[in-house]
Amino acid sequence: MEIQKHQLFATEIYTTNFESSEDVNKVILEQFDASIEHHTVSHHNSIRYENTYVPIQHVPAVQAILTSAIAVTSVFTKQQFQIDENNWWFNNMTGGDITDAHGHSPGPVWSGVYYAKVPAGSGKLYFTYNRMHIKEPNFYKYIGHNFQDVEITPVEGMMIIFPTWLDHRVGMQQTNEKRISISFNMRYPHGIL
């Protein structure tokens, strides 16, 4: 597996593409669809519920993705991290859906996303920096930014890992076919946050 390093805004993000992801993705998507009665949702915006939580016992194939994320992160950090059972979720997007600009700090150190299903016309991932915003606990108001976003076109089997403070968003889904990804946050095993 080849891990590529990218320099953005004086920080780094990491991308990798998983070999044989087609087989893993097929199982993940089957388990996701079969577990619908166990789905819970949160983070409602004006368009949709952004996060879909499913207990790991109902989608055990996701464990391979989470374990790989920890392994990949330990390669470039030389440190060990963990993903708590309540700190990963599915993003299930369809036509017209977007995800507003946000970050995942404080608390975790690294965030990531893995793409299980990315049909043509799927929303792209955008990273931005030097954002003007009001960011307080339980309140985030975006009031513009003055830095060009960096665009990443997701593909099935791609994993992206980035610092949790790095603001990101997802552009509008241009197709009614589902775009399904798995997002996660990593923290130090014995962190105080």
Side-chain angles (χ1 to χ4, degrees), residues 42-60:
S42 68
H43 296 86
H44 189 267
N45 67 22
S46 59
I47 299 173
R48 68 183 178 99
Y49 287 98
E50 291 192 5
N51 298 353
T52 302
Y53 296 94
V54 186
I56 194 75
Q57 65 265 29
H58 300 291
V59 285

Side-chain angles (χ1 to χ4, degrees), residues 48-115:
R48 68 183 178 99
Y49 287 98
E50 291 192 5
N51 298 353
T52 302
Y53 296 94
V54 186
I56 194 75
Q57 65 265 29
H58 300 291
V59 285
V62 170
Q63 190 64 51
I65 301 305
L66 302 179
T67 301
S68 293
I70 291 168
V72 166
T73 306
S74 71
V75 168
F76 61 81
T77 64
K78 308 293 187 246
Q79 297 175 330
Q80 190 62 39
F81 294 91
Q82 72 181 44
I83 299 172
D84 295 331
E85 68 178 56
N86 63 348
N87 225 338
W88 69 271
W89 59 93
F90 284 93
N91 294 296
N92 183 7
M93 301 179 78
T94 190
D97 288 350
I98 62 167
T99 299
D100 293 330
H102 66 284
H104 295 192
S105 62
V109 180
W110 294 97
S111 293
V113 60
Y114 173 82
Y115 296 96

Side-chain angles (χ1 to χ4, degrees), residues 174-185:
Q174 302 293 326
T175 177
N176 287 329
E177 192 175 349
K178 290 182 180 179
R179 169 194 186 273
I180 298 177
S181 60
I182 300 162
S183 294
F184 49 86
N185 291 319

